[in-house]
Amino acid sequence: DAHRKGASFMTNNLTTPPQHHSRLKALLARIRHFDSLPPAAQERIASSAVPCHFNPGQVIYVEGEPAEALFILETGWVKATRMTREGREQAMMFLRPVEIFGDIAVFTGTTYPGTVVALEAVEAWSIPAKVILDLIPRHTELAMAIIRRLSERVLHYIGLVEDLSLRSVESRLASTLLRNAEIQDGRLVVPRREWTTFDEMAVRLGTVRDVLSRALKTLEAEGLLRVEKQVIVLLDPQAMEQRGGL
């Protein structure tokens, strides 16, 4: 709870300033399946959304809390995790802009299934659950967008179960690095953000630091990658694809 007290909400009334409307509508246009919502639905969402800021490490919501809002992530990264009774953290999703989170609980009428934490400075928009739920019966486009998003989440979690139960840490590491790689100065690299510690990477892969470290050393010894201070350089993408089962 102490972490959450630092969350800064730029406004706490239900009337969003006009200058924020176009900003939020532009965000909706960048979200898969939500880019074709009718103007009336966009206007209602924009008028009820509350912009908010979270500092690195702040808890946005906790597993088991009532789902009173969903969020649109505008800037920064967040992670959604569950905690085992033994205190081990299991990653559900790592999200980067522009993305929606908190939606599953809102649409299914349950509590939040995991805890979401800001990994770095985050700008987001909080949208009351009631606003979205009231719009669904009136706009088939919104209902279809939600169905498609929930279907994609189901596929994500099927893939997560498959990864954790059927694939080695080395295979999961290779595929995750490839999915997050980008070209910089003619090299294929995975940038290491401030929060990308070995501990955080291990959580993301569903393992522990020591096992992750051994997997990295194995792939590095095989000439597939090189770990540098700011980036991880992928030296042999084709071999990485084979190791990742892609």
Side-chain angles (χ1 to χ4, degrees):
D1 289 341
H3 278 120
R4 305 188 73 195
K5 291 179 182 177
S8 171
F9 291 84
M10 294 181 229
T11 177
N12 57 10
N13 57 54
L14 293 180
T15 304
T16 304
Q19 64 267 29
H20 289 155
H21 281 217
S22 58
R23 179 173 150 200
L24 184 54
K25 287 179 182 178
L27 286 179
L28 289 172
R30 293 171 56 192
I31 300 174
R32 182 175 166 84
H33 306 313
F34 281 73
D35 51 0
S36 58
L37 291 183
Q42 291 186 21
E43 184 63 29
R44 182 68 182 102
I45 292 171
S47 64
S48 65
V50 178
C52 46
H53 172 84
F54 298 94
N55 294 321
Q58 281 189 286
V59 176
I60 298 174
Y61 57 73
V62 175
E63 176 182 345
E65 283 187 348
E68 298 177 348
L70 59 79
F71 296 82
I72 297 179
L73 179 63
E74 182 173 12
T75 63
W77 283 67
V78 301
K79 67 174 179 178
T81 62
R82 291 175 68 94
M83 193 72 71
T84 67
R85 291 181 179 178
E86 297 76 23
R88 181 175 170 182
E89 200 176 18
Q90 172 59 58
M92 298 166 63
M93 301 188 88
F94 279 66
L95 300 175
R96 58 184 170 184
V98 172
E99 188 56 272
I100 295 176
F101 60 95
D103 50 340
I104 290 179
V106 167
F107 298 147
T108 56
T110 61
T111 58
Y112 291 120
T115 296
V116 171
V117 178
L119 291 169
E120 55 192 29
V122 162
E123 302 293 339
W125 297 78
S126 173
I127 302 172
K130 187 178 185 306
V131 171
I132 297 295
L133 295 176
D134 287 348
L135 284 172
I136 292 173
R138 304 180 202 169
H139 299 284
T140 56
E141 298 93 339
L142 178 59
M144 288 304 301
I146 291 168
I147 289 170
R148 292 189 181 105
R149 283 194 62 80
L150 292 180
S151 299
E152 288 175 351
R153 288 291 169 87
V154 169
L155 292 176
H156 166 79
Y157 288 121
I158 289 174
L160 181 61
V161 170
E162 179 183 2
D163 277 353
L164 295 175
S165 59
L166 301 178
R167 301 171 71 185
S168 68
V169 173
E170 291 172 12
S171 176
R172 301 202 298 271
L173 174 60
S175 61
T176 299
L177 290 174
L178 282 170
R179 284 197 301 269
N180 291 276
E182 58 187 59
I183 299 292
Q184 287 187 6
D185 299 324
R187 303 188 303 171
L188 186 63
V189 303
V190 179
R192 299 184 64 182
R193 307 177 79 88
E194 288 187 18
W195 52 266
T196 314
T197 62
F198 276 15
D199 287 328
E200 205 64 76
M201 290 172 65
V203 169
R204 187 170 187 174
L205 294 172
T207 186
V208 294
R209 179 190 175 98
D210 290 346
V211 176
L212 170 65
S213 181
R214 288 197 296 270
L216 278 168
K217 288 178 180 177
T218 297
L219 296 180
E220 194 165 20
E222 294 176 5
L224 274 62
L225 58 80
R226 182 174 64 253
V227 179
E228 299 181 356
K229 186 175 181 180
Q230 300 295 331
V231 298
I232 297 176
V233 185
L234 306 188
L235 302 172
D236 191 338
Q238 290 185 337
M240 290 283 285
E241 287 182 4
Q242 293 177 349
R243 290 301 291 271
L246 301 178

